Amino acid sequence: MYIIEKAPAKINLTLDVLYKRSDQYHEVEMVMTTVDLADRIEFFLIEEDKIEVASENRFVPNDERNLAYRAAKLLKERYDVKQGVYIKIDKQIPVAAGLAGGSSDAAATLRGLNRLWELNITLRELAVLGAEVGSDVSFCVYNSTALAKGRGETIIELPAPPQCWVILAKPAQGVSTQSVYQSLQLNDIEHPDTDGMVQAIKRSDYQGVCNRLKNVLETVTLPKNPEVEQIKEQMLRSGADAVLMSGSGPTVFGLVQQESRADRIYNSLRGFCEEVYVVRLLGNRQ
């Protein structure tokens, strides 16, 4: 018996950091949604009582460094499952890109194994479990559009934003999320209009969404990675309606409503950025 789950990438429409908590995590507010760039994960029941993870991508570990492995182990131990599983990850989302690829794999693993092992756990319960694996996993369990608070584990679902094309461009150099947060100067932050973004989404106001894109982590990542700034400028020059870095970076995304403009931006970026994608916004649970 086997089951397939899609694990879509996420983008941040807003990312705000409010303060550093006593547990050393940062209190955040983020509006996130999903795009049609996804890993494909297959789950096979095996006779041996163990977890195996495999991927052809050499940057994907097959042990406890892998969030999907951690999610499977947590679910297995918490619900005392005596069955084994072989997890095959077909990686399409760039690694260490600010697109929550690992978190989405973990979330897809929780959903997939819930079905494979017939555990009948609710989505809300899976999201609570996901918070033990990683900060973005709870959002990825819902696989939709949401306002995330706390350290990312408190999820308030939202309608899908207005449909549009999304151009994603990832520079070659990766970014350490931990080092970005450590370097963030909390006193100098200009905060996003998070409430305004939520209202724009609820009104299906495309221009309102574009006007409110903001990510406070750009203040750290951009000065250290000039290529990210160059990609942003190139996207705007080529006709993007709005441009932002996702997560801690380094991936940049641009929004447009016309496919022809999306193609033009894609072609303009191919010269100096290897990983470029044109995808649709998803925004709804898949």
Side-chain angles (χ1 to χ4, degrees), residues 95-98 169-175 221 225 228 231 245-246 248-252:
V95 177
K170 179 189 177 284
Q173 186 179 349
V175 170
T221 302
N225 299 270
V228 177
I231 290 170
M245 182 183 81
S246 186
S248 56
T251 299
V252 173

Side-chain angles (χ1 to χ4, degrees), residues 17-28 150 178 181-187 189:
V17 181
L18 305 178
Y19 56 85
K20 193 166 186 180
R21 300 162 19 152
S22 57
D23 62 6
Q24 300 307 302
Y25 284 101
H26 287 82
E27 185 76 13
V28 298
Q178 187 176 3
Y181 274 96
Q182 284 173 347
S183 303
L184 185 65
Q185 299 299 310
L186 290 167
N187 296 330
I189 285 177

Side-chain angles (χ1 to χ4, degrees), residues 153-172:
E153 82 285 4
T154 303
I155 304 297
I156 301 160
E157 284 198 275
L158 298 169
Q163 263 303 313
C164 64
W165 293 92
V166 183
I167 305 95
L168 299 165
K170 179 189 177 284

